[in-house]
Amino acid sequence: MKGRRRWRGQRRRFAVVLVLYTLLLLLLVPYVLDYGARRGRADEEPLLRRCPSLEEALSEWGWEQRQALEPQEEEEEEEDGGGASRGAAGNGSGAAARKRHIYLHATWRTGSSFLGELFNQHPDVFYLYEPMWHLWQALYPGDALSLQGALRDMVRALFRCDFSVLRLYAAPPGPRDPLGPAAPGGGGNLTTAGIFGWRTNKVICSAPLCPAAPRPRQEIGLIDGAACEERCPPRALRELEAECRKYPVVVIKDVRLLELGALLPLLREPGLNLRVIQLFRDPRAVHNSRLKAKQALLRESIQVLRSRHRAEPRAPPPRQHLLPPALLGAGRGPGPGPQHRAEFFLSGALEVICQAWLRDLLLARRPPPWLRRRYTQLRYEDLVQEPRAQLRRLLRFAGLPVPPAMEAFVVNMTRGSAYSSDRPFLISARDAREAIHAWRERLSRQQVRQVEAACGEAMSLLAYPLSGGDGR
């Protein structure tokens, strides 16, 4: 009897030890696997450790790393790619015949107006030039990040050819549209005059909206803004919406969407067939160009700069500002003058923009398949040095044919005799190859070093070599 009780006690102790051992294994093995995975990711993605707010930023946009598309989505993507080269008749069937929506994601002074003009010239494209300008002016001084949701909602409506959203923001008090006068009569009587860069918009300045147009829609070439303003009277928004619905491709170019993450919900939205082209440019050239147009960019630079603390929720590391302390009023004597203050705001905004670029670049380094097929990058320098090749690549990405006249147009636009013009926002033929390195002659050594200190990580990912020790 006593032996039987001893045997039962040993069996209970053995069972307890076995349970504890099993629990230990269940806790230890996942920890080891997770530790190994984290070490592997740390070795593979060293830049992620230098951008601690990346995961937080992506979670705010509802980002999910999905390894594969749903079967239906995969099938639609394959059909889309197969139908991309069929032209723009828009009379086919299935996913290939769906309306395509292209967003040109850029920032100020990166050559985005030139890139947008290439799509404005294409006969199968309905082009919208910087529609979010109205929203930013109406909601000034809202910071750039706080306006991202409203911008995304406006993009969604515009891609669906619903322009009524503009009545909420158009014709606000403040500066005039850089490409033309504001619409008369306020937002309630909004017309084609004053929106979408109307004086050079191929759709607004050609038949049927403008029967007396100086040139037909199919003809490739820049629009004479003065001639369009004289011959093309304002038309109602509903007429412009009707024209929008006729085109197989709608392209929006804007510079006010700070981060690619804001577009992720639209890229997954079933009702849209969205593709994104993100344009980059050497930050030193961007800074040089921004300084030339500092007064025109001052208000929006302040809006970008005001979002700095929201974009960097954790204490940022000490960073060298793009202006010396003497210009910031750190020393004795009077504070900086208006020109130095304007330069300070533009420089601070460039730092914020470069950090947004870095987040976009890290997001796009290892994208899931559905994003990889709908997103592409372009450097301004590559566009002006290889205009024909890059034009073909962009139009193929957009599912558009390449008219021979457009190849001649893009070459002529990048082989002008002059580098700049008195109106920095005016599109004209320029010696774009000279513009690539103009910053070397116009920026001081200190300015070059400071831009590189603020934007060095993004420049590295974009393959822009840093200058030597002399700042050149």
Side-chain angles (χ1 to χ4, degrees):
M1 189 70 179
K2 190 180 295 185
R4 184 177 300 176
R5 285 198 300 268
R6 187 183 301 112
W7 181 78
R8 288 178 181 173
Q10 290 177 350
R11 189 168 62 176
R12 290 195 191 95
R13 287 194 295 272
F14 177 79
V16 171
V17 171
L18 182 61
V19 169
L20 292 175
Y21 181 78
T22 303
L23 290 175
L24 181 62
L25 288 178
L26 290 175
L27 293 174
L28 183 60
V29 171
Y31 174 81
V32 173
L33 294 177
D34 182 64
Y35 177 77
R38 283 188 282 110
R39 284 201 60 185
R41 288 195 300 269
D43 294 338
E44 185 177 356
E45 299 288 352
L47 281 173
L48 292 177
R49 298 199 302 272
R50 293 150 67 184
C51 187
S53 63
L54 175 63
E55 294 182 2
E56 297 174 4
L58 297 185
S59 64
E60 289 180 3
W61 300 117
W63 166 258
E64 295 178 0
Q65 286 284 356
R66 304 188 182 186
Q67 296 300 321
L69 293 170
E70 298 294 332
Q72 181 180 358
E73 291 178 313
E74 190 78 46
E75 188 174 325
E76 287 181 357
E77 290 288 353
E78 292 177 1
E79 291 178 1
D80 236 359
S85 61
R86 299 179 190 175
N91 298 322
S93 60
R98 291 171 57 198
K99 200 178 190 77
R100 293 182 296 283
H101 309 97
I102 311 297
Y103 185 83
L104 306 182
H105 180 31
T107 191
W108 295 269
R109 314 312 298 156
T110 53
S112 61
S113 294
F114 171 53
L115 174 63
E117 183 62 29
L118 298 182
F119 286 94
N120 183 38
Q121 292 294 324
H122 200 286
D124 301 324
V125 168
F126 186 94
Y127 176 63
L128 291 76
Y129 173 89
E130 299 200 6
M132 275 69 89
W133 179 87
H134 302 282
L135 186 151
W136 267 50
Q137 296 299 324
L139 300 183
Y140 182 85
D143 67 85
L145 280 179
S146 67
L147 299 179
Q148 299 301 285
L151 290 176
R152 181 178 62 237
D153 293 341
M154 178 178 275
V155 168
R156 178 189 287 109
L158 296 176
F159 273 138
R160 297 178 185 277
C161 298
D162 177 7
F163 302 153
S164 62
V165 66
L166 291 172
R167 292 192 173 94
L168 300 174
Y169 308 108
R176 290 152 60 97
D177 186 334
L179 289 191
N189 299 319
L190 189 62
T191 66
T192 53
I195 60 174
F196 307 155
W198 69 282
R199 300 171 77 249
T200 57
N201 187 286
K202 296 278 284 189
V203 174
I204 296 176
C205 296
S206 62
L209 291 181
C210 180
R215 61 198 318 170
R217 175 69 179 89
Q218 303 295 323
E219 183 179 336
I220 305 298
L222 293 176
I223 293 288
D224 183 343
C228 177
E229 186 174 3
E230 178 183 353
R231 301 186 187 185
C232 303
R235 306 298 289 266
L237 278 189
R238 63 177 180 275
E239 297 180 65
L240 189 62
E241 290 175 339
E243 282 300 302
C244 175
R245 297 186 186 99
K246 296 177 184 178
Y247 283 78
V249 178
V250 177
V251 176
I252 294 177
K253 173 271 199 193
D254 210 277
V255 294
R256 293 161 185 84
L257 199 75
L258 192 60
E259 296 184 8
L260 175 64
L263 293 175
L264 293 180
L266 300 187
L267 285 162
R268 300 287 292 182
E269 189 165 316
L272 293 179
N273 186 12
L274 177 60
R275 305 173 189 185
V276 178
I277 299 173
Q278 184 163 11
L279 177 66
F280 296 97
R281 188 179 184 183
D282 190 325
R284 295 162 296 196
V286 172
H287 190 50
N288 175 59
S289 184
R290 285 168 61 82
L291 292 178
K292 290 175 58 181
K294 65 176 67 174
Q295 294 303 323
L297 297 175
L298 181 57
R299 281 169 58 98
E300 292 176 306
S301 294
I302 293 174
Q303 288 175 276
V304 173
L305 186 57
R306 290 184 69 247
S307 68
R308 167 182 284 172
H309 298 297
R310 296 192 66 230
E312 299 177 358
R314 303 181 184 182
R319 185 181 297 278
Q320 187 179 17
H321 290 288
L322 299 184
L323 280 180
L327 297 183
L328 305 180
R332 297 180 179 178
Q339 292 298 318
H340 289 154
R341 286 198 298 270
E343 188 169 342
F344 168 71
F345 288 132
L346 265 67
S347 302
L350 180 61
E351 294 183 32
V352 177
I353 289 168
C354 282
Q355 291 304 304
W357 277 7
L358 180 59
R359 288 190 289 272
D360 286 351
L361 291 165
L362 292 174
L363 171 60
R365 288 191 78 191
R366 298 175 60 186
W370 62 266
L371 178 60
R372 184 167 57 249
R373 281 186 285 266
R374 294 178 178 269
Y375 171 82
T376 191
Q377 296 175 352
L378 172 69
R379 299 194 319 170
Y380 171 77
E381 292 79 7
D382 297 331
L383 177 60
V384 299
Q385 290 179 319
E386 305 169 348
R388 283 196 180 94
Q390 294 300 327
L391 176 67
R392 294 191 193 104
R393 182 176 75 86
L394 294 174
L395 295 184
R396 184 168 60 249
F397 176 78
L400 289 165
V402 186
M406 281 200 64
E407 293 193 15
F409 175 81
V410 70
V411 171
N412 292 335
M413 290 293 291
T414 57
R415 299 296 182 267
S417 57
Y419 157 57
S420 186
S421 67
D422 295 333
R423 294 182 60 190
F425 298 98
L426 181 66
I427 301 172
S428 61
R430 305 178 184 182
D431 186 354
R433 290 174 296 182
E434 179 183 345
I436 293 176
H437 301 295
W439 61 268
R440 297 177 181 272
E441 305 299 327
R442 291 168 173 82
L443 294 183
S444 67
R445 295 180 181 180
Q446 184 179 11
Q447 287 174 317
V448 171
R449 288 194 296 267
Q450 290 166 340
V451 171
E452 292 177 352
C455 303
E457 292 173 307
M459 292 176 64
S460 176
L461 291 177
L462 290 167
Y464 289 121
L466 300 180
S467 61
D470 61 352
R472 289 290 185 264

